Amino acid sequence: MRKLLFFNRQSIVLTWLISYIVILLLPVVIGLLLYFESNRTLKEEIQQANDSLLKQVREVMDNQFKAMEQLNFEITWNVNLQELLYSNKYEAFPKDYRYDTYQIARTLAQYKTSYPLIDSFYIYLNKDQSVILPSTVRTTEFAYETLHKNNKWSYNSWQLMMTQPNFKGFIPITRIAEDNSLQKSVAYISTYPLDHGQPSATNVIMVDQSRILSAIQNMEVFNEGHVLILNEFNTVLASNSEIAMPATFPYDKLIANPNFNYTAPNGDEYEVFSIQSPRSKLKYVSIMPSAIYWQKASHVRNLTYLSMLISLLGGGILTLFFLRRNYHPVRRLVQAFAKKEVLQSANRFNEFHFIQEAVNHTLDEMADFKSKMEQQRHIVRSHFVEKLLRGKLDGRIPVAEALTTFEMKLDRKQFAVMLFVVDKSETFFERVTLSTEEEKWKLLHFIVSNVVEELLSAQHRGYAAEIDDSLACLVNLTMEDEQSAKNELVRIADEARQFLASTYGINLTISISSTYEHIQFVPQAFLEALDAMTYKLVVGDADILAYPDLIAHTACDNPSGYYYPMQLEQQLLNAAKFGELTEAQHIINEILDRNFQDAGSSIAMTRLLLQNMLSTLMTCLNDTGGLQESFFIRHPKQVERLLQSKSKDEIKQQLSEMLELVCAHTVSKRQHAQTLTKQKAMQQLVDQVNSYIEHNYADANLNVSMIGSHFDRKATYLSKLFKDHAGEGLLDRINKVRIEKSKQLLMQEEQSVGDAAYGVGFNDINAFIRVFKKVEGITPGKYKELVEQR
């Protein structure tokens, strides 16, 4: 048999071998996929990284260049300069010309303080061949000597640049720094309108390349390549490399194709990435050696080949080892089952099918046997419990022996009986779709029995049995005294009743007997439970009836009615109407004490008394403004709990709770109007403040003090009122509105981070970035990048 099982085509050995081979080949397939995808993935990652870093450089540098353009704008439209260039007053007052030029020089000195990131700037005056610098005026020759003199740029070349008609843009330039060293710079040159064929003046604003290079150092470290900033004529304004670009570099491809391969004349290959500035004609270019890309791809390829080789060798060895080891226990199981019986699948020689069929056959036999035994045991035990409750046990069989036979343990101190009668359970019968009414009742009794026995088994013991149309349960309790035992039975009965009603729609009336300390009194307890069940005609359906309580109530029936004079009713009405809770509770306690003293009242009279007192409270609600309907809608169970009270203390507690609610209504009604008025005023103030912020968010001076001054309130007090009512401070609200408006600006392609910052009232772009990240969790540059990628 061993040889047949091992070499049969349906044997599990063949299945395992195929499975192991498939698993072994999986790393090989993954390695191949990894190899084919690695080149594309690495290239995409490099492109994304370069694009992201270029955008960061563009963001920073566009703000720098914008500052240069803004300074040019302020100089160009300076009133004194406009008058100097285009006014006719110097024909009458020629001596004022020199004075006015020095006044303009002083103004430029103020601009230098306002623009600390600008390294140098001046105004070239073509009219009198002079240059206006911050704080001084020089001749053109002297200005050239001190600002630009070098072997590569002559005085004539400089003059030609200054006198270009209608020129405005960025160019590379060399300037002489304060330490007399030559600094490579980027200059923004803007000429004024022509006068006799030449510009009347030219603005020159310069920023050293060292400032720009500090912003692109991270790019150099990342890709070991070159980063360039080009103007509209493809002239290199700034570069992180001293090596000049080859003359054959295809600048014309930068606009049409932002990513392409370039082969230098010496044979080196490069990956070129470029982006265009959205607000100017500048281009930002990154040139990365292709060798870096292929070096990483080769490393990944080698790792892939190595992992494939290790997987094949190690997997083959492990396959043979585990195949032999795992088959031995399966073979022994098959031989064990084959010795006992021959099943239908015995000739197929599939080990798992053989074992499964054998196990299923055995389990089916065991389950069938256990089910039959359980059914018989339950029926016989139920019959035994019924005889025990009725006191009709066969005296020839000891009770202890019978309990052992039916696996029943009655080893607790107290004995009692609970009786369950079903009331109004149409919902349950509608949900059950069994064929006959008898089957529905059997299911209902089965559910009730299981729920009750489960609740009792937590601390006690309980055994249920069907008797006639009801369900009786023998309870064996662990309680020490009779009162504690009664309270525990009431608790369990109430929990069972509520669970069955809410879960299954089964409504029960439950009666509880007195507790006894010996099993011989169980028949007496059963009779007491039957007697208590008959009392449901007095208290109504779906209730819990405790025999000891019913005996006490029956003994103190008072045929004379109850005590509730009109004078006390009026006093209670007045006290509740004016919200005097202490006085009202004192009156209620007096009424209840008088009715429950000595002889007391019957249950029926007590219900009438409670209904009359409820009528008084309802009258109070009507007199204080018609709140009766809304009160009972908000507290639907309050009246029900009061009428179902089972003791004097519980009635006092329920009436006290209801009285507290009624008094709270009467007090709150007087305060309601004042509260609404105050809330309306506060909401109106908050709305006005929000509206003022919405209309003035672009004002750089907008702050808490400005808002407090506008509304003629102290700023701290107004901020506290706003935060208490709106849940946020005024400064937080201002920042949120500004950030929301800036997000709308950042969605526009032509708007930079700086534009958005100044557009919503921030003077400092760093403060804007800090606030934006605090509110949104990311920087504005990252947000704009995410918006552009959508």
Side-chain angles (χ1 to χ4, degrees), residues 755-773:
D755 294 335
Y758 298 132
V760 297
F762 284 90
N763 286 330
D764 185 0
I765 188 172
N766 292 325
F768 169 68
I769 293 173
R770 183 172 62 255
V771 173
F772 192 99
K773 187 172 182 180

Side-chain angles (χ1 to χ4, degrees), residues 169-181:
F170 294 92
I171 65 168
I173 199 170
T174 303
R175 79 175 186 91
I176 300 175
E178 294 179 358
D179 58 355
N180 291 326
S181 63

Side-chain angles (χ1 to χ4, degrees), residues 489-737:
L489 289 172
V490 171
R491 182 193 66 79
I492 294 173
D494 185 63
E495 187 174 348
R497 186 172 61 85
Q498 292 184 14
F499 176 79
L500 290 169
S502 61
T503 306
Y504 299 102
I506 300 175
N507 299 304
L508 299 174
T509 297
I510 306 174
S511 63
I512 302 171
S513 71
S514 302
T515 57
Y516 295 91
E517 294 184 356
H518 198 275
I519 194 173
Q520 66 181 7
F521 296 105
V522 167
Q524 177 64 28
F526 176 65
L527 294 177
E528 291 180 358
L530 290 175
D531 291 341
M533 185 60 69
T534 60
Y535 201 72
K536 71 175 183 176
L537 297 174
V538 178
V539 298
D541 294 336
D543 207 343
I544 300 173
L545 307 173
Y547 183 79
D549 294 339
L550 298 178
I551 294 299
H553 283 298
T554 304
C556 63
D557 281 346
N558 183 9
S560 62
Y562 58 83
Y563 173 76
Y564 190 43
M566 185 178 297
Q567 179 181 359
L568 284 179
E569 181 180 9
Q570 187 61 42
Q571 291 177 3
L572 176 61
L573 180 63
N574 293 334
K577 186 184 300 182
F578 290 100
E580 297 178 358
L581 178 61
T582 303
E583 179 64 22
Q585 287 180 338
H586 176 73
I587 296 171
I588 285 181
N589 289 337
E590 180 182 349
I591 295 171
L592 294 178
D593 291 340
R594 181 69 178 271
N595 280 280
F596 284 103
Q597 69 181 2
D598 300 332
S601 301
S602 65
I603 294 177
M605 288 297 147
T606 301
R607 281 194 168 186
L608 290 176
L609 173 63
L610 295 179
Q611 291 173 2
N612 204 347
M613 296 175 74
L614 282 173
S615 177
T616 302
L617 295 179
M618 292 170 65
T619 302
C620 170
L621 292 173
N622 280 329
D623 291 346
T624 54
L627 294 174
Q628 171 188 330
E629 181 178 355
S630 62
F631 173 84
F632 287 106
I633 289 176
R634 285 194 294 270
H635 310 286
K637 298 294 184 182
Q638 200 70 34
V639 175
E640 182 179 347
R641 285 196 295 267
L642 175 62
L643 295 179
Q644 291 181 354
S645 299
K646 301 175 180 62
S647 65
K648 171 187 172 182
D649 293 336
E650 189 174 353
I651 290 174
K652 281 187 177 182
Q653 180 183 354
Q654 296 298 332
L655 277 175
S656 178
E657 292 178 1
M658 182 176 291
L659 193 58
E660 288 180 6
L661 296 172
V662 172
C663 290
H665 270 285
T666 58
V667 171
S668 63
K669 182 167 180 63
R670 291 193 297 269
Q671 299 173 349
H672 185 65
Q674 297 178 357
T675 302
L676 287 179
T677 302
K678 183 177 179 180
Q679 289 179 349
K680 184 176 181 181
M682 285 299 302
Q683 185 61 45
Q684 184 177 3
L685 176 61
V686 170
D687 292 340
Q688 291 174 354
V689 171
N690 284 329
S691 177
Y692 183 80
I693 294 173
E694 288 286 338
H695 286 84
N696 296 275
Y697 69 90
D699 189 349
N701 296 320
L702 180 64
N703 54 27
V704 177
S705 300
M706 178 178 174
I707 297 175
S709 176
H710 177 77
F711 288 96
D712 196 21
R713 296 174 183 264
K714 288 184 179 181
T716 55
Y717 178 69
L718 180 61
S719 179
K720 183 178 183 304
L721 289 178
F722 188 92
K723 185 173 184 179
D724 290 342
H725 193 78
E728 61 181 353
L730 274 177
L731 184 59
D732 292 338
R733 179 59 182 170
I734 293 171
N735 287 336
K736 284 186 179 179
V737 171

